[in-house]
């Protein structure tokens, strides 16, 4: 019997054979969850110009240096700078330009006084609302005088060009997964469409004479094919495009035909039929189709009978058919490959937590323990779910993570730190 490989070594073997997918240009509106293929570098600064942080008046700090509520400084309002509509002239001594938040700071101005700290001279007695006046565009050439009731130090309420992003800055690095903030940042620097890695193309094959499509009535000895839903869903959540979901009977010819088609994808995943039963034809079919074995059997429970090999750049996984084993082995070996293939970092799905309860096991292999994650005052706690059988799919329903208890651990006490592989439940628009 082939010697089983440890799970970390198995993962390394898989990742060492990953070839990143090709680069394609995708509009930002469709790029959620993709991985950027290049460093995104800003051509210019953001914001592109000095601008106002407040609604108010652009002034020269020296003009209002002595202003106070008791002795306001009167300035002539000579123009207006609105968002998207810069003022038509520069600011001179003794002048103010009405300005709104985000609007260009006029030449000659070096500070902004908040509208709340001003009063329009003409309307002083009438409780005039300068904010309304600003909004309605009442200020203009030859207009009003404004009374400034506070001093404004140099640069007050001014946002400098490039405070957020400077010219030449790398805003999003190659390999980053594009979430809302990354998409916003790319939009800000005008990188649309963006070069991202293609979604890895995944073909799924389920195998077994006992399997019936979920919508069909069951025959004698039949069960419903749940892996045909579970595995494609896992693949999509990992950023893949599922190009086919096929089923094959436990029969050599049919198995070979189905796997032959699946090996055309970037990643072929066959579920079940990979073990050593008399009617398990998957390994033989893969060998006949020219797929070369890298490992067979891993020191993992559930998920021991896992096969991995390659044909050219295609990765082929033979996963055990048990509904839980298939999910565990997918998350442990296939998902890292899919993320890496799309240019991402599989380690982003790994973290640590403290075990909520002691866990005991033999020291022959690692256990992937389905856990619920709960936050306490010290951080995340992984609580093993009660029913850990590899056939108990319902035990996955409440699971947030797999706690990876190493092969050599006989017992992990409550409170000990354990590595966890996070399940992704969100759909990221896929
Ligand atoms: P196998 O790996 O083919 O020996 O299957 C192991 C166990 O998983 C058996 O109980 C199968 O009936 C079950 N099984 C295999 N494939 C599926 C599937 N696609 N959906 C649900 N159960 C399956
Ligand atoms: Mg089978």
């Amino acid at each position: 019997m082939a010697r089983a490989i440890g799970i970390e070594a198995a993962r390394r073997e898989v990742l060492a054979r990953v070839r990143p997918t090709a680069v394609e240009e995708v509009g930002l509106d469709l790029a959620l969850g993709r991985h950027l293929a290049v460093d995104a570098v800003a051509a210019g600064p953001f914001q592109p110009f000095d601008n106002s942080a407040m609604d108010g008046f652009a002034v020269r700090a020296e003009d209002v240096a002595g202003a106070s509520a008791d002795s306001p400084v009167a300035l002539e309002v000579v123009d207006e700078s609105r968002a998207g509509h810069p003022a038509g002239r520069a600011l001179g001594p003794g002048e103010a330009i009405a300005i709104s938040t985000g609007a260009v700071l006029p030449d000659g101005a070096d500070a902004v006084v908040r509208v709340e700290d001003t009063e329009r001279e003409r309307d002083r007695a009438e409780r005039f609302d300068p904010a309304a006046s600003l909004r309605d565009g009442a200020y203009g050439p030859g207009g009003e005088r404004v009374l400034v009731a506070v001093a404004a130090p140099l640069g007050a309420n001014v946002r400098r060009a490039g405070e957020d992003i400077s010219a030449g800055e790398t805003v999003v690095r190659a390999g980053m997964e594009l979430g809302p903030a990354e998409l916003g940042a790319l939009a800000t620097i005008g990188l649309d469409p963006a070069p991202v890695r293609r979604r890895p193309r995944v073909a799924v094959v389920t195998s077994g004479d006992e399997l019936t499509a979920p919508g069909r009535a069951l025959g004698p000895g039949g069960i419903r094919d749940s892996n045909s839903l579970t595995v494609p869903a896992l693949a999509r959540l990992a950023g893949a495009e599922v190009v086919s979901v096929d089923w094959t009977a436990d029969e050599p010819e049919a198995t070979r035909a189905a796997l032959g088609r699946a090996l055309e994808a970037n990643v072929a995943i066959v579920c079940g039929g990979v073990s050593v039963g008399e009617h398990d034809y998957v390994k033989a079919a893969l060998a006949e189709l020219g797929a070369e074995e890298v490992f067979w059997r891993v020191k993992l429970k559930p998920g021991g009978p896992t096969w991995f090999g390659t044909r050219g750049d295609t990765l082929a996984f033979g996963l055990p058919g048990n509904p839980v084993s298939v999910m565990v082995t997918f998350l442990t070996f296939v998902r890292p490959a899919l993320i890496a293939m799309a240019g991402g970092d599989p380690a982003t799905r790994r973290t640590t937590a403290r075990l909520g309860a002691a866990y005991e096991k033999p020291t022959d292999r690692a256990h992937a323990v389905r856990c619920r994650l709960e936050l306490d005052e010290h951080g995340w706690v992984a609580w093993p779910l009660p029913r850990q059988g590899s056939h108990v799919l319902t035990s996955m329903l409440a699971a947030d993570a797999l706690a990876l208890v190493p092969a050599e651990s006989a017992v992990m006490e409550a409170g000990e730190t354990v590595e966890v592989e996070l399940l992704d439940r969100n759909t990221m628009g896929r």
Side-chain angles (χ1 to χ4, degrees), residues 202-215:
V202 168
V204 178
V205 178
T206 63
S207 79
D209 289 350
E210 75 279 30
L211 302 179
T212 301

Side-chain angles (χ1 to χ4, degrees), residues 82-258:
R82 282 189 291 145
H85 302 278
R89 51 161 293 175
L91 186 81
E95 295 177 344
I97 288 180
I99 193 163
S100 42
T101 306
V104 177
L105 188 74
D107 285 345
D110 52 25
V112 169
V113 180
R114 299 183 314 156
V115 75
E116 295 90 332
D117 297 325
T118 67
E119 213 172 344
R120 215 167 80 154
E121 188 180 51
R122 172 163 65 83
D123 298 294
R124 203 171 184 189
E126 303 165 23
R127 302 212 155 278
F128 175 77
D129 175 6
S133 174
L134 187 60
R135 199 168 52 236
D136 301 341
Y139 295 107
E144 319 286 336
R145 286 188 1 136
V146 67
L147 298 174
V148 175
V150 294
L154 214 58
N157 300 316
V158 172
R159 303 190 293 213
R160 292 292 170 202
E163 261 182 32
D164 188 346
I165 299 168
S166 47
E169 183 177 333
T170 297
V171 178
V172 183
R173 296 215 166 273
M176 280 290 289
E177 186 168 346
L178 301 181
E182 289 75 21
L183 292 173
L186 295 183
T188 297
I189 65 167
L191 189 64
D192 186 16
V196 296
R197 296 259 165 219
R198 286 198 57 163
R199 294 186 185 283
R201 287 176 303 112
V202 168
V204 178
V205 178
T206 63
S207 79
D209 289 350
E210 75 279 30
L211 302 179
T212 301
R216 297 265 178 83
L218 293 177
I223 59 167
R224 296 211 169 80
D225 182 350
S226 58
N227 294 346
S228 68
L229 278 301
T230 316
V231 174
L234 285 165
R236 289 198 186 96
L237 283 176
E241 176 192 353
V242 177
V243 292
S244 61
V245 183
D246 221 350
W247 165 83
T248 173
D250 289 321
E251 194 273 311
E253 274 301 313
T255 303
R256 208 161 40 238

